[in-house]
């Protein structure tokens, strides 16, 4: 026998804010053996290497708490990422969850049985309920199909932050930041901390979606990256401007920020139905995936929300998991998929539940591909209007909108998919 | 076993006859490395030099990684023979040394009546190339075997022996075995000039002079320029760029075989092929250029590939892209290799190894050995090379992270560092301490796959860099 087989009550894959919060909540609720598996040496997830402030606290509830990285007033509220990570770990451990780091879930051996690898060997763990909380990553240069040469000096924010804050590595001297979402400002802050001059922050958008007090970062709007140059080291970022001009910014470092994609490998390998919009597992308001007993939480479901939101989902997933363990959950089925029309990119959750649950916080989250000033949303099924709702704020990429949920009671469980459209 | 591998400073053999190399091979691509390995079987003082900081850092690192049968070669050409022989040699060698190979087979898909009509001709050509196993299959069988193919495929030529191979482990295995058997490897060593005399050649390199009795030019894209240094003007290398897109491993189930287009007037066309790592390749383009360093990708090239790919396997385009790269084929305007011996000069030119050099490499090595002998090199009897086992990077055989036995012996094999490619600390450590260690993060990636997965370093980039810098202060 080369794999050690074990059983637990709840297995949580991923020890980021979502997984740790789920573990804390479930352990506190006496859900039996609650085990969190984290593949990194330290649990905590992305916040481990976000040295800026803006984690947790009251402000965390505003979608833009972490826009703050640029040095605005927000950043001084809430705690820094590493502190937040340590607190999340401590909370899970204090509640009695088992946390095993350096252990990777590598695949499935049954509907709720996973295989793991770690320095202590191979295991096969069967759980009564599984929670996937594997997070999201930024798309790298290749996935963005940015042409040109392949020199060193090309980063994502995740790699940059780890290089600077966890390993103290040398970065470069002049950097371009691609993307002006909050994470772009986090990247800029990290570059500055590493003593790197920021040549420009580049965005394809016509104008910044919101005002940021970051005078130190020159913002180039309406510009698309068309190529990278340099052989032994990056030498420049080629841009095309909206007016047709082509320019090259000289730099030895470029950070590609944002453009998140869920880390859905495990979900897919397990045969869970994916939502075509989010590319995470399809799920309902009770965090149920298409596989009974397999739940999901955090940025795996919607790339990307802030840490507090992911943690909130982690806590919220505990209730349906407890129902599952107690055998008081609704029989599966009956949920209708929710689909969106462009420019909307996705909605989360993206299935209705069998029992009319409302999503976390009472509202659905939607993501749009371009800026929408005070959009009017229409919810319909089979041509029948279920709901319409005017947004009070301007939405945009990286600036999600939300939608009330009372219409879920009017969904026909035998009808077609429910459609959300911008009027 | 004393290994001589240098990357800087003057070259070791200084003055005096005893410090003269018998044979020097210029270029440590897959071809030069295979030649050096062949030479290492004899009692010869051999040097292998390369301008780059690693072996296999030219065209050999950027190809489609297919182990061809040679079914579609030009019958009767030297290339046809060496591909056919090289395939068998390399397939056996790979099995012995653990170079990942998968015999997935190829399907040459016909998308219109003209292409369908060309299939019997291609089958006949295969027969003339000594390949008898290909057969034509109809649209139904094709669909059954490749359910994700786009609409409109009419039939295919089935070539069951076309295989995929690891392009990086292959030259590394050759060079490792050669170096362990006494071949001197000098990296960062660019040949600048050659002065030939009755006794041999004095090479001027970026790292100083080097004296050799015999010379082999396996400089790939630069073989023409080196040939001119020796007074010839018989061929010119025109780089033909091939851009490729590597799709996520989650796309692997979309393709069962190497899906080849029916070759037309515009060349071999764009293919879709699995890789031994479990990714899916789409490419290559074919662009005539005059810049031998133009290994970048272009927006037009990537657009064209995506358009073609959408037709062949539409679902592929929904998958994430893991990598984009480009390689340059050493085209010379002649539909064959240009391998020529010059007895009076004690010199062999190995040029025009265009789009099949990975497959043919071992046969080219043997052929060059014969030519050197014909040129007067007295090489004596060959001795067997000690066996070699390369790290298994392929998807088809179990990797260390899945081996309870390895992990029990050394927990480092259970410590995952690169999560997308499941590369362990043990494998990275081994590569950094190997006979030919990497001199760059890219070199480490080619040896282990670390940072070569879908996140391209988002998760592990800094950790891998730390391990690399720790080992190479
Ligand atoms: C650069 C950057 C800056 C940010 N700044 C802020 C900010 O200032 N404020 C804020 O509120 N939010 C911020 N965020 C967002 C915040 O970090 C995320 O919302 C939060 O981390 C999501 O939590 P999660 O648990 O869903 O995923 P993650 O934090 O990504 O955690 C997922 C965990 O799962 C583990 N894992 C994955 N697969 C496996 C497997 N197969 N086996 C075992 N373990 C596995 C991973 O190692 C990881 O630890 C930022 C994000 C980024 C990328
Ligand atoms: C897009 C593409 C797809 C391909 N697909 C396949 C395939 O599927 N199967 C297959 O079998 N083949 C394929 N090939 C072909 C194969 O990759 C080549 O034939 C093979 O790599 C050539 O090897 P080489 O050693 O001759 O050249 P290279 O790998 O280019 O090696 C030449 C070496 O010489 C060195 N050098 C040059 N000048 C000097 C100098 N002055 N001093 C010192 N060193 C020097 C360079 O640094 C280089 O390392 C493909 C090629 C391309 C471009």
């Amino acid at each position: 026998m080369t794999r050690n087989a074990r059983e637990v009550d709840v297995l949580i894959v991923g020890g980021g804010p979502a997984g740790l919060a789920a573990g804390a909540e479930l352990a506190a609720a006496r859900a039996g053996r609650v085990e969190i598996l984290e593949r990194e040496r330290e649990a905590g997830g992305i916040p481990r290497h976000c040295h800026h402030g803006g984690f947790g606290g009251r402000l965390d509830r505003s979608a833009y708490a972490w826009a703050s990285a640029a040095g605005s007033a927000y950043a001084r509220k809430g705690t820094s990422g590493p502190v937040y990570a340590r607190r999340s770990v401590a909370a899970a451990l204090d509640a009695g969850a088992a946390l095993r780091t350096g252990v990777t879930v590598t695949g499935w051996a049954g509907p709720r049985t996973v295989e793991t690898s770690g320095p202590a060997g191979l295991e096969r763990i069967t759980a009564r309920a599984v929670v996937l909380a594997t997070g999201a990553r930024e798309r790298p240069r290749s996935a963005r199909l940015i042409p040109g040469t392949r020199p060193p000096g090309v980063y994502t924010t995740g790699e940059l932050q780890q290089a600077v804050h966890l390993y103290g590595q040398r970065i470069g001297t002049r950097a371009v930041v691609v993307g002006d979402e909050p994470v772009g400002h986090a990247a800029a802050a990290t570059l500055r901390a590493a003593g790197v001059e920021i040549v420009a922050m580049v965005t394809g958008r016509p104008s910044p979606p919101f005002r940021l007090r970051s005078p130190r970062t020159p913002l180039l709007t309406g510009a698309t990256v068309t190529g990278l140059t340099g052989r032994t080291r990056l030498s420049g970022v080629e841009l095309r401007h909206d007016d047709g001009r082509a320019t090259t910014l000289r730099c030895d470092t470029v950070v590609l920020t944002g453009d998140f994609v869920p880390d859905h490998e495990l979900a897919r390998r397990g045969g869970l139905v994916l939502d075509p919009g989010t590319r995470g597992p399809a799920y309902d308001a009770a965090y149920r995936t298409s596989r009974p007993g397999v739940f999901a939480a955090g940025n795996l479901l919607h790339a990307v929300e802030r840490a507090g939101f992911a943690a909130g989902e982690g806590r919220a997933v505990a209730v349906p998991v407890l129902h599952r363990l107690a055998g008081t959950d609704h029989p599966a089925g009956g949920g209708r998929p929710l689909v969106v029309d462009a420019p909307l990119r996705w909605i989360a959750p993206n299935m209705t539940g069998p029992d009319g649950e409302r999503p976390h916080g009472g509202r659905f989250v939607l993501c749009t591909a371009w800026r929408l000033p005070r959009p009017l949303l229409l919810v319909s099924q089979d041509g029948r209007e279920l709901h319409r709702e005017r947004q009070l704020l301007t939405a945009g990429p990286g600036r999600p909108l939300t939608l009330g949920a009372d219409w879920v009671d009017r969904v026909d469980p035998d009808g077609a998919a429910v459609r959300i459209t911008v009027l | 076993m004393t290994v001589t591998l240098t990357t800087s400073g003057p070259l070791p053999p200084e003055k005096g006859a005893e410090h003269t190399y018998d044979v020097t091979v210029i270029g440590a691509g897959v071809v030069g490395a295979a030649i050096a390995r062949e030479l290492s079987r004899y009692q010869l003082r051999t040097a292998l030099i390369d301008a780059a900081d690693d072996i296999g850092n030219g065209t050999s690192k950027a190809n489609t990684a297919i182990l061809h049968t040679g079914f579609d070669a030009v019958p009767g050409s030297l290339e046809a023979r060496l591909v056919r022989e090289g395939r068998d040699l390399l397939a056996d060698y790979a099995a012995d040394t653990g170079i990942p190979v998968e015999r997935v087979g190829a399907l040459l898909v016909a998308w219109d009546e003209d292409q369908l009509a060309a299939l019997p001709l291609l089958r006949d050509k295969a027969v003339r190339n000594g390949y008898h196993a290909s057969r034509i299959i109809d649209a139904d069988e094709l669909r059954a075997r490749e359910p994700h193919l786009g609409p409109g495929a009419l039939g295919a030529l089935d070539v069951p022996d076309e295989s995929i191979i690891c392009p990086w482990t292959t030259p590394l295995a050759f060079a490792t075995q050669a170096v362990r058997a006494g071949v001197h490897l000098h990296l960062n060593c660019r040949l600048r000039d050659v002065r030939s005399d009755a006794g041999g050649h004095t090479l001027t390199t970026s790292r100083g002079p080097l004296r050799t009795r015999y010379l082999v030019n396996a400089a790939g894209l630069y073989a023409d320029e080196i040939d001119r240094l020796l007074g010839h003007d018989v061929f010119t290398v025109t780089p033909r760029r091939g851009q490729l897109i590597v799709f996520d491993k989650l796309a692997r189930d979309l393709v069962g075989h190497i899906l080849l287009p029916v070759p037309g007037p515009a060349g071999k066309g764009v293919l879709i092929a699995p890789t031994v790592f479990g990714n899916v390749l789409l490419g290559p383009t074919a662009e005539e250029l005059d810049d031998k360093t133009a290994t970048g990708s272009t927006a037009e090239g990537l657009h064209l590939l995506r358009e073609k790919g959408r037709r062949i396997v539409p679902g592929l385009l929904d998958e994430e892209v893991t990598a984009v790269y480009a390689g340059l084929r050493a085209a010379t305007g002649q539909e064959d290799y240009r391998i020529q011996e010059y007895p009076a000069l004690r010199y062999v030119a190995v040029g025009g190894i265009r789009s099949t050099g990975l497959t043919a490499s071992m046969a080219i090595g043997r052929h060059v050995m014969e030519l050197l002998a014909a040129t007067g090199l007295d090489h004596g009897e060959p001795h067997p090379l000690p066996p070699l086992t390369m790290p298994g990077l392929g998807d088809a055989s179990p990797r260390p992270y899945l081996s309870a036995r390895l992990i029990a012996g050394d927990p480092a094999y259970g410590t995952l560092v690169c999560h997308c490619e499941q590369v362990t600390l043990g494998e990275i450590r081994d590569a950094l301490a190997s006979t030919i260690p990497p001199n760059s993060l890219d070199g480490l990636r080619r040896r282990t796959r670390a940072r070569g997965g879908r996140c391209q370093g988002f998760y592990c980039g800094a950790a891998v860099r730390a391990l690399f810098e720790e080992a190479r202060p």
Side-chain angles (χ1 to χ4, degrees):
Chain A
M1 180 90 180
T2 55
R3 274 191 192 272
N4 179 25
R6 291 195 298 119
E7 285 177 18
V8 299
D9 293 291
V10 184
L11 187 78
I12 299 166
V13 186
L20 291 169
E25 198 77 5
L26 283 159
R30 306 256 176 274
R33 172 139 182 122
V34 177
E35 187 165 309
I36 307 169
L37 300 183
E38 167 55 50
R39 64 189 183 184
E40 301 292 347
R41 261 180 305 180
E42 306 249 344
I46 299 279
R48 274 177 314 131
H49 47 77
C50 294
H51 273 230
H52 53 269
F55 284 87
R58 193 182 54 81
L59 268 166
D60 196 61
R61 260 170 271 138
S62 103
Y64 274 80
W66 52 294
S68 45
S72 70
Y74 285 144
R76 289 183 288 275
K77 312 270 167 73
T79 65
S80 78
V83 171
Y84 182 83
R86 278 196 294 276
R87 281 189 195 154
S88 311
V89 169
L93 293 175
D94 288 350
L99 171 60
R100 295 171 62 221
T101 55
V103 179
T104 304
V105 176
T106 58
W108 299 84
R112 282 174 304 281
T113 304
V114 301
E115 298 192 323
T116 70
S117 287
L122 308 182
E123 287 190 326
R124 177 172 298 133
I125 305 175
T126 301
R128 294 169 63 213
V130 175
V131 179
L132 297 178
T134 52
R137 66 179 186 274
E138 292 165 297
R139 282 202 176 84
R141 178 257 176 105
S142 47
R144 301 174 193 223
L145 293 177
I146 299 175
T149 54
R150 302 210 301 164
V154 184
Y155 288 88
T156 48
T157 316
E159 180 175 2
L160 175 80
Q161 290 185 332
Q162 295 187 58
V164 173
H165 297 307
L166 302 188
Y167 293 95
Q169 289 164 357
R170 227 189 60 84
I171 302 300
T173 55
R174 288 167 53 85
V176 169
V177 176
V178 178
D180 69 336
E181 290 172 26
V183 60
H185 292 274
T190 302
L191 286 167
R192 253 183 245 109
V196 184
E197 179 196 343
I198 298 168
V199 180
M201 178 176 276
V202 174
T203 169
R205 283 179 221 146
S207 63
F210 50 88
R211 289 193 74 76
L212 269 170
R213 270 186 288 144
S214 79
R216 281 176 297 175
T217 311
L219 184 67
L220 264 179
T221 55
T224 320
V225 177
T226 54
L228 303 184
T229 63
R231 202 151 288 280
T232 52
R233 179 73 197 192
L234 183 75
S235 65
V237 172
E238 298 175 332
L239 300 179
R240 196 186 45 242
H241 299 266
D242 277 355
D243 59 10
R245 273 178 314 127
T247 53
T248 302
L249 298 175
R250 282 201 317 102
C251 59
D252 59 12
T253 304
V254 62
V255 189
L256 302 167
T257 74
D259 198 0
F260 286 92
V261 57
D263 248 291
H264 63 204
E265 170 162 22
L266 215 50
R268 257 182 98 171
R269 297 245 184 251
L272 304 191
V273 174
L274 290 200
D275 179 71
T278 61
R279 302 182 77 94
Y283 75 107
D284 67 18
Y287 301 94
R288 283 173 290 221
T289 70
S290 60
R291 162 93 47 88
V294 178
F295 299 79
N299 277 342
L300 167 65
L301 296 173
H302 41 66
V304 57
E305 275 286 348
R306 65 217 180 276
F309 191 93
E313 290 182 313
R315 284 188 295 274
V317 77
V319 176
V321 169
L322 290 168
H323 275 299
R324 168 91 198 167
L325 297 179
T328 52
D329 54 335
H330 258 265
R336 306 314 306 148
L338 308 181
V339 297
V340 295
D341 287 319
L344 297 175
R345 289 177 48 218
W346 51 255
I347 179 167
N350 34 52
M351 293 194 300
T352 60
D355 31 15
E357 283 107 333
R358 306 296 192 260
H360 180 51
R363 298 182 73 81
F364 291 90
V365 178
L366 295 97
C367 172
T368 166
W370 59 76
R371 194 169 169 271
L372 295 173
R374 296 178 21 97
L376 177 61
L377 298 185
L378 174 73
V379 183
S380 64
Q381 185 186 29
D382 293 315
R384 181 170 60 98
E385 175 172 333
L386 300 179
H387 178 66
R388 63 171 67 205
E389 184 175 321
R390 167 78 65 194
Q391 297 283 307
L392 297 178
L393 297 171
T394 295
R399 193 163 208 215
L401 44 155
T402 67
L403 174 69
D406 289 341
W407 49 269
V408 298
D409 298 331
R410 299 193 280 279
V411 171
D412 173 3
D414 301 316
V418 176
R419 195 163 272 289
I420 294 92
T421 317
V422 180
L423 286 180
Chain B
M1 178 184 81
T2 49
V3 165
T4 305
L5 191 176
T6 71
T7 54
S8 62
L11 297 169
E14 280 123 27
K15 297 236 157 49
E18 72 278 18
H19 289 304
T20 299
Y21 286 115
D22 294 315
V23 187
T24 297
V25 181
I26 314 295
V30 71
V31 170
I35 296 169
R37 176 185 169 277
E38 192 65 31
L39 285 161
S40 73
R41 300 169 61 226
Y42 300 87
Q43 290 297 333
L44 296 167
R45 288 178 48 83
T46 301
L48 174 62
I49 73 168
D50 201 290
D53 70 359
D54 198 0
I55 64 108
N57 205 22
T59 298
S60 300
K61 75 175 175 194
N63 52 46
T64 15
I66 295 172
L67 185 57
H68 296 291
T69 57
F71 78 97
D72 61 346
V74 179
S77 63
L78 177 64
E79 182 176 13
R81 172 165 76 84
L82 295 180
V83 167
R84 193 167 58 239
E85 293 174 9
R87 191 214 100 87
D88 293 343
L89 289 171
L90 186 48
D92 289 347
Y93 182 72
D96 288 347
T97 56
I99 298 172
V101 172
E102 278 183 63
R103 184 176 163 278
V104 290
L107 295 172
L108 233 98
V109 181
W111 296 94
D112 60 35
E113 292 297 337
D114 286 349
Q115 293 180 356
L116 195 61
L119 296 184
L121 305 176
L122 285 160
R123 185 192 49 201
D124 296 349
K125 187 176 178 185
V127 170
R128 274 183 286 143
N129 278 318
Y131 185 73
H132 299 273
S134 68
R135 66 184 186 94
I136 294 169
I137 62 172
D138 63 16
D140 290 342
E141 183 177 348
L142 176 57
R143 176 98 10 226
R145 286 170 63 181
E146 285 292 350
H148 299 286
L149 217 52
L154 302 178
L157 184 70
D158 176 15
V159 192
D161 296 294
E162 289 281 302
S163 305
I164 51 178
I165 185 165
C166 175
W168 304 309
T169 310
T170 305
L172 186 62
F174 296 159
T176 300
Q177 225 174 6
V179 166
R180 286 187 186 170
V183 171
H184 292 191
L185 175 60
H186 303 303
L187 297 171
N188 297 317
C189 182
R190 178 180 298 280
L191 177 68
R192 294 233 166 93
D193 203 1
V194 182
R195 245 183 337 98
S196 308
D197 51 50
H201 312 268
T202 301
L203 312 185
T204 306
T205 79
S206 54
R207 291 179 50 200
L210 184 152
R211 181 75 189 157
T212 185
R213 291 169 57 227
Y214 288 80
L215 187 64
V216 177
N217 167 9
L221 294 165
Y222 298 87
D224 57 340
E225 292 168 33
I226 288 172
D227 206 40
R228 278 190 207 105
L229 293 178
L230 281 122
H232 306 289
D233 195 4
V234 284
F235 67 93
T236 298
V237 174
T238 318
R240 191 188 298 146
R241 180 167 58 197
Q243 303 185 39
L244 290 123
I245 300 177
V246 185
F247 285 90
D248 196 291
K249 289 182 166 179
L250 291 163
R252 179 64 182 84
D253 291 344
L254 293 174
V255 237
H257 308 77
I258 302 163
L259 299 175
L260 299 170
V262 174
K268 284 195 178 173
V270 171
L271 61 83
I272 292 179
T275 73
V276 290
F277 317 112
N279 299 89
V280 177
L281 278 181
L282 167 64
T285 57
E287 307 156 66
E288 303 281 342
L289 307 172
D290 39 42
D291 179 358
K292 290 179 179 176
T293 64
T295 52
S297 55
T298 64
E300 304 74 50
L302 300 181
H303 178 75
L304 176 122
L305 291 182
R306 288 169 59 81
E307 285 312 304
K308 302 245 179 193
R310 201 185 305 281
R311 163 117 203 237
I312 307 169
V313 178
L316 189 58
L317 277 294
D318 293 335
E319 300 293 339
E320 293 290 319
V321 169
T322 294
V324 168
Y325 65 92
L328 301 173
R329 309 169 187 87
T332 65
Q334 175 181 302
E335 295 300 289
D336 203 351
Y337 295 165
R338 303 220 183 214
I339 304 183
Q340 183 68 51
E341 77 283 22
Y342 297 93
L345 259 180
R346 306 173 184 226
Y347 164 65
V348 179
V350 186
I353 313 299
R354 314 171 297 153
S355 40
T356 50
L358 171 59
T359 306
S361 52
M362 293 187 84
I364 296 173
R366 274 202 187 171
H367 181 61
V368 169
M369 196 63 217
E370 287 161 18
L371 295 179
L372 281 170
T375 309
L377 176 69
D378 177 12
H379 51 63
E381 285 302 306
H383 54 82
L385 295 173
L388 173 75
T389 304
M390 297 301 288
L393 303 185
D395 218 28
S397 56
R399 297 267 309 280
Y401 80 97
L402 292 175
S403 167
R405 186 186 51 80
L406 271 184
I407 298 170
D410 184 349
Y413 292 113
T415 306
L416 276 93
V417 178
C418 165
H419 299 294
C420 303
E421 296 296 312
Q422 290 100 10
V423 186
T424 63
L425 183 62
E427 290 164 280
I428 292 174
R429 185 198 57 200
D430 292 351
L432 290 168
S434 63
T435 305
I436 305 178
N439 288 308
S440 67
L441 284 170
D442 283 342
L444 181 61
R445 170 174 53 78
R446 291 193 293 271
R447 284 161 177 80
T448 60
R449 305 232 6 102
R451 294 175 65 114
R454 62 174 67 89
C455 91
Q456 294 279 305
F458 176 90
Y459 292 114
C460 75
V464 173
R465 179 175 160 193
L467 291 171
F468 176 76
E469 289 176 352
E470 205 174 286
R472 309 180 39 83

